[in-house]
Amino acid sequence: MGTLWQDLRYGFRMLAKSPGFTFVAVLALALGIGANSAIFSVVNTVLLQPLPFEQPEQLIRVYTTVPRRNLTTGPISYPTFADFRAQNGQFAHVTAFSDASATLTGRDEPEQVDGV
């Protein structure tokens, strides 16, 4: 244990001797640790955690086609969704969603937020 304390004191003295190197080393470590934790958070949320549904393997997404605009998928109108839901005989539940972004204003600076 005594050798460990000597090594730590020696390391701190060397770091204090060259503040430029110390700054670059600490900055590189901070960026590396921050990027690693951010990437892990995304991977953990998207890939590792199960979806918050009882049987996520049974989820499907229905798209429409818009031949006039040469789109293979496109948004559907609410009347089309209502007809689909009314005529549904296969699915246990049918839900529609739409994503959008808005500018949130208030006391601080305006901020762009995404929502569903």
Side-chain angles (χ1 to χ4, degrees):
M1 206 55 161
T3 308
L4 175 66
W5 289 116
Q6 285 178 341
D7 289 343
L8 286 174
R9 282 194 306 245
Y10 177 73
F12 284 124
R13 278 197 313 265
M14 290 298 111
L15 288 174
K17 240 181 177 180
S18 53
F21 172 76
T22 302
F23 175 75
V24 170
V26 168
L27 181 67
L29 283 170
L31 289 174
I33 292 169
N36 188 15
S37 63
I39 290 170
F40 176 75
S41 295
V42 170
V43 168
N44 185 40
T45 302
V46 174
L47 299 176
L48 302 178
Q49 294 294 323
L51 292 173
F53 302 102
E54 289 182 18
Q55 296 172 326
E57 68 277 358
Q58 293 184 357
L59 290 176
I60 65 166
R61 186 172 183 181
V62 178
Y63 295 98
T64 62
T65 59
V66 184
R68 287 178 284 164
R69 294 187 181 169
N70 199 20
L71 295 173
T72 56
T73 62
I76 64 171
S77 65
Y78 182 77
T80 303
F81 166 73
D83 287 343
F84 181 78
R85 183 175 55 192
Q87 297 172 14
N88 173 36
Q90 299 294 317
F91 305 114
H93 302 284
V94 179
T95 303
F97 73 93
S98 177
D99 58 344
S101 62
T103 304
L104 180 66
T105 60
R107 296 180 186 169
D108 294 331
E109 293 292 320
E111 181 180 350
Q112 188 78 19
V113 293
D114 296 323
V116 176

